[in-house]
């Protein structure tokens, strides 16, 4: 939902059927964590996702993927060696 | 988050590949230093070189063991909140053995989000779950 662009707090609250203060609290946590960005327009606060806020998880995942590729290549070399 | 999957075909027979997967000494040569024992229910530990943010230790357990066919480990790095699962599957193919490795059980964006909510002291489980859904659409694009 927030990936689509700026959304005011009450719209988010309506979508989740929870109180506006509760939603504000959640969004504050996400903002501090760098997952969402806050923009003020007049008296309204608009929120949207920051894809780059999720980047560390993606980097970690790619690293693990590479780890396995290399280990399985090492397994191949070991099997070749064991054979001789 | 999606799983990590690698499929490799080795020219050796299934017996040789299975041995390399289930023998402590051979595992240490291609994977990591370890105290593995091929027995369902046995815990073991893998040790890699430490790196920033991780001491190089992975706690594992043998969950399934079907000789020359399939082996499943739980896999929890000391930097991981909960266990993930590694499955090795062997299949004899013309001229060798096909190994499929699957590393599954990653929490993904929703899980990352739950951790954030949790660490912030927010205990409303139902709301946490609902809000995790808020981010789930992101997953396919970033992971």
């Amino acid at each position: 939902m927030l990936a689509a662009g700026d959304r005011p707090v009450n719209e988010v609250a309506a979508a989740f059927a929870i109180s506006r203060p509760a939603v504000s609290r959640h969004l504050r946590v996400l903002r501090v964590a760098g997952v969402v960005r806050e923009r003020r327009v007049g008296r309204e606060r608009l929120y949207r996702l920051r894809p780059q806020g999720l980047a560390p998880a993606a980097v970690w995942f790619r690293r693990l993927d590479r780890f396995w590729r290399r280990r399985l290549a090492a397994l191949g070399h070991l099997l070749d060696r064991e054979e001789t | 988050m999606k799983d990590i999957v690698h499929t490799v075909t080795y020219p050796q027979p299934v017996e040789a590949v299975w041995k390399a997967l289930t023998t402590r000494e051979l595992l240490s040569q291609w994977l990591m230093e370890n105290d593995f024992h091929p027995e369902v229910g046995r815990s073991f530990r893998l040790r890699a070189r430490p790196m920033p943010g991780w001491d190089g230790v992975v706690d594992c357990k043998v969950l399934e063991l079907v000789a020359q066919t399939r082996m499943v480990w739980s896999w929890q790095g000391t930097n991981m909140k909960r266990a993930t699962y590694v499955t090795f599957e062997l299949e004899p193919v013309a001229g060798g053995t096909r190994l499929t490795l699957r590393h599954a059980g990653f929490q993904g964006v929703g899980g990352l989000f739950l951790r954030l909510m949790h660490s912030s002291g927010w205990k409303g489980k139902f709301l946490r779950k609902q809000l995790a859904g808020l981010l789930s659409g992101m997953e396919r694009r970033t992971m």
Side-chain angles (χ1 to χ4, degrees):
Chain A
M1 173 180 192
L2 293 178
D6 289 328
R7 289 280 183 276
V9 176
N10 33 12
E11 210 176 295
V12 177
F16 288 95
I18 53 179
S19 73
R20 196 193 144 124
V23 167
S24 294
R25 216 157 114 202
H26 280 294
L27 289 170
R28 198 157 53 237
V29 172
L30 290 175
R31 181 172 55 77
V32 171
V35 177
V36 299
R37 198 187 65 191
E38 181 189 272
R39 195 159 65 88
R40 287 181 194 219
V41 177
R43 288 177 51 208
E44 201 161 47
R45 290 163 194 247
L46 302 174
Y47 291 89
R48 74 187 304 162
L49 268 183
R50 287 177 74 241
Q52 65 272 33
L54 300 164
V59 166
W60 177 84
F61 186 83
R62 275 198 298 275
R63 198 175 290 160
L64 190 58
D65 185 61
R66 200 166 56 228
F67 163 83
W68 279 118
R69 189 150 25 87
R70 287 180 179 160
R71 292 303 97 215
L72 295 178
L75 171 58
H77 298 316
L78 172 70
L79 289 167
D80 292 343
R81 280 203 307 278
E82 288 284 303
E83 219 174 20
T84 54
Chain B
M1 197 186 287
K2 66 188 180 203
D3 299 345
I4 290 172
V5 181
H6 289 282
T7 301
V8 187
T9 301
Y10 300 108
Q12 288 78 13
V14 167
E15 295 76 19
V17 180
W18 181 253
K19 187 180 165 200
L21 294 180
T22 55
T23 309
R24 183 182 303 179
E25 161 61 15
L26 295 177
L27 273 173
S28 72
Q29 286 185 49
W30 71 268
L31 185 61
M32 287 189 224
E33 286 300 324
N34 67 91
D35 57 354
F36 175 82
H37 188 80
E39 189 187 316
V40 172
R42 277 288 276 263
S43 297
F44 60 101
R45 191 166 253 203
L46 301 172
R47 284 178 186 279
R49 211 165 11 146
M51 56 178 79
W54 182 44
D55 62 4
V57 173
V58 185
D59 285 310
C60 300
K61 192 182 213 175
V62 181
L63 299 180
E64 274 182 55
L65 199 64
V66 182
Q68 300 183 15
T69 306
R70 180 180 156 90
M71 175 164 64
V72 184
W73 297 347
S74 67
W75 172 290
Q76 184 164 18
T78 43
N79 57 345
M80 294 164 90
K81 194 109 182 172
R82 53 175 155 155
T84 54
Y85 300 92
V86 175
T87 303
F88 302 91
E89 277 180 314
L90 296 186
E91 195 187 342
V93 292
T97 304
R98 180 158 56 221
L99 165 66
T100 304
L101 171 126
R102 177 179 294 270
H103 196 159
F106 304 107
Q107 292 178 49
V109 173
L112 176 74
F113 180 72
L114 291 181
R115 278 208 303 283
L116 288 171
M117 299 320 301
H118 196 74
S119 62
S120 76
W122 182 255
K123 304 290 188 215
K125 194 175 175 189
F126 174 69
L127 298 185
R128 278 210 314 268
K129 284 201 168 149
Q130 274 207 320
L131 279 162
L134 183 86
L135 292 169
S136 61
M138 280 298 299
E139 206 161 343
R140 265 154 278 140
R141 266 161 287 169
T142 55
M143 296 292 151

